[in-house]
Amino acid sequence: MRATVMYGAGDVRVENVPDATMRERTDALIRVLRSCICGSDLWPYNSMEPSKHGRRMGHEFLGVIEDTGPEVAGLKVGDVVVAPFVWADNTCDFCRAGLHTSCRHGGQWGHALDGGQGEAMRVPQAQGTLVKVPVGEDSPLLASLLTLSDVFCTGHHGAVTSRVRRGSAVTVLGDGAVGLSAVLAARRLGAERIILMGRHKDRTDLGRTFGATDVVAERGAEGITRVRELTGGDGTPAVIECVGTEQSLQTAINVVRDGGVISRLGLAQYTHVPMGVDTMTRNITLTGGAAPVRAYMEELLPDVLNGSIDPGQVFDRTVGFGEVPDGYQAMADRDALKVLIRP
Ligand SMILES: [Zn+2]
């Protein structure tokens, strides 16, 4: 079968690899219908050391079940399923607490396993991992359903952990696919004021479609001043940080209202959090992290199925397998917001 392998910075290839096969009684085998490139895939694309054997890529995918092990209940051949970006048993103490990213029997796609940017996948802990979606293989909803695998659930995690609720005011830092998803998720939870900080107009325009009430294109000190002007000098009680740089975190600290919450979704590119005594006196909470998307999928699925939200609008380019390397380059060049892969 064909699959995407990264050999180093800027070196992504689609190659023939051994076919995905069943190994454990708890496995399922799926044929991939849709997958995509994640903003987090760009970090290795920009910096990975050359590797002889390469690394299988992709952790967001949706597919059709082709086989199930004898210990997999509730799923059958032909079901269309979405997978979260980590696999999990959905039964251990961490999973029961809604923290599937810390599952005692879970793990990450790629590495020693198949990656989502391929034709087929062996799915460990299939019963706990996969969520059946009641659509056909050619449903027009596939792109939006795919966002439940990571990007939209991640935005939702930011909104939930920053305590967005009906009537909230929230600032979202970053106009990438996660930031825009956070806007949509905050709107869905009833936020009334959503300030989106981003400087790419085509992206912030989609942010307005998703529910942003204000867009701040300035960065650094100017951006902080602008958000404070918009909020009577106080900042917003909720801030969702979707960039991952120290500068962005510093901006978040400066635009959060005293007593407020900052949720981090951007993959942290810093090792120290600049929160000293000045932030103690302001009683700021710092939370967020890798989203336990499996905990959110069933809650968000009905809104995608009934069309009340359309998170798949973050995909602005679709490629076939042959063009996956071009898809990476387009995202790295910011020519594409998020690239959908259709085998
Ligand atoms: Zn678990």
Side-chain angles (χ1 to χ4, degrees), residues 89-90 92 95 103-104:
D89 59 14
N90 203 25
C92 76
C95 285
C103 177
R104 295 187 188 278

Side-chain angles (χ1 to χ4, degrees), residues 38 41 53 64 97 141 143 146 199-200 248 271 286 290 312 337 340:
C38 182
D41 293 336
H53 300 293
V64 185
L141 293 175
L146 176 62
R199 56 183 176 150
H200 303 90
S248 181
T271 52
L286 181 65
L337 173 59
L340 183 73

